[in-house]
Amino acid sequence: MFDTKEVHRVANEKNQQNLSSLRGSLSGVDTFYVVDYQGLTAGQLSKLRKDIREKGGQLIVAKNTLINIALQDGGRDFADALKGPSALVLAHEDPAGVAKTLSDAAKANDKGIPAMKGGLVEGNRVDVKVIERLASLGSKQSLQSEFVGVLSSHLSSFVGILEAYKAKLEEGAGAPVDTSSAVADTEAVSAEVLSADAAPDDSAPEATV
């Protein structure tokens, strides 16, 4: 026969350990998402963990009460979102990339799971629409690649113009032409392109507090 007191003692000790682990994981984190994972198979959940980890994130499954206590310790109340099976997805390095990973996983099954419930982005409470908009931006790596592609196309155009300019002058003068001033102009324009492309996007979504 089970000793109910011993069962409760062990359960309480385990809860305290889990709560301590949650507090440690949340320390210093300013971006996370609360998701519903009910309906995912063990294999799907394992793959989701792996995909999130590759984006520098972490998926945590725990009791809602423990998650809420750990969040409230940091002054964050998500009791309204913590209904039904819930998981915390921490985004340590790439908030947009982690959000996109969750979005892609939901699109991969007919249940739309994991389903977003809400979250915190850069310390601000946000709703599902903001997270979906963030997911549409893609990962940090893809944004960087897109930027490099745009910059490269600009530089290629300038190099082509420079070569054509040099050839035309040499053909007309019959002698080599000093293109140092044109090179300087190209570098100046390239710097302007770099500055413009690196500027923040005013159309980016604002967090809803």
Side-chain angles (χ1 to χ4, degrees), residues 27-91:
S27 178
V29 173
D30 60 5
T31 298
F32 62 78
Y33 310 115
V34 180
V35 302
D36 178 359
Y37 68 93
Q38 187 174 32
L40 292 179
T41 65
Q44 289 172 327
L45 189 59
S46 177
K47 182 180 184 304
L48 183 60
R49 284 183 188 275
K50 177 177 178 294
D51 292 343
I52 290 172
R53 193 181 306 118
E54 289 177 353
K55 296 298 181 182
Q58 180 183 4
L59 186 149
I60 300 174
V61 175
K63 293 181 179 179
N64 287 347
T65 51
L66 296 181
I67 293 176
N68 197 35
I69 291 172
L71 290 176
Q72 286 182 339
D73 286 348
R76 302 157 178 172
D77 188 358
F78 278 77
D80 57 328
L82 293 169
K83 296 177 180 178
S86 304
L88 268 184
V89 180
L90 313 184

Side-chain angles (χ1 to χ4, degrees), residues 72-202:
Q72 286 182 339
D73 286 348
R76 302 157 178 172
D77 188 358
F78 278 77
D80 57 328
L82 293 169
K83 296 177 180 178
S86 304
L88 268 184
V89 180
L90 313 184
H92 298 291
E93 302 172 6
D94 188 357
V98 171
K100 187 176 188 306
T101 296
L102 292 169
S103 177
D104 289 345
K107 292 175 182 177
N109 62 78
D110 56 5
K111 298 178 182 178
I113 302 296
M116 291 288 187
K117 295 183 176 184
L120 193 80
V121 176
E122 300 296 337
N124 296 301
R125 176 77 182 262
V126 297
D127 59 21
V128 174
K129 289 184 178 180
V130 172
I131 300 173
E132 290 175 346
R133 177 71 180 93
L134 187 62
S136 71
L137 297 178
S139 68
K140 182 189 298 183
Q141 183 177 1
S142 66
L143 289 174
Q144 289 173 337
S145 297
E146 183 178 347
F147 167 71
V148 171
V150 170
L151 180 59
S152 296
S153 66
H154 282 294
L155 291 177
S156 296
S157 298
F158 291 135
V159 170
I161 292 171
L162 177 61
E163 291 298 330
Y165 172 70
K166 177 181 178 182
K168 184 176 181 180
L169 290 182
E170 287 181 347
E171 180 181 351
V177 177
D178 181 7
T179 59
S180 59
S181 61
V183 171
D185 290 342
T186 300
E187 292 176 346
V189 176
S190 299
E192 292 179 4
V193 172
L194 178 61
S195 176
D197 286 339
D201 183 2
D202 292 335

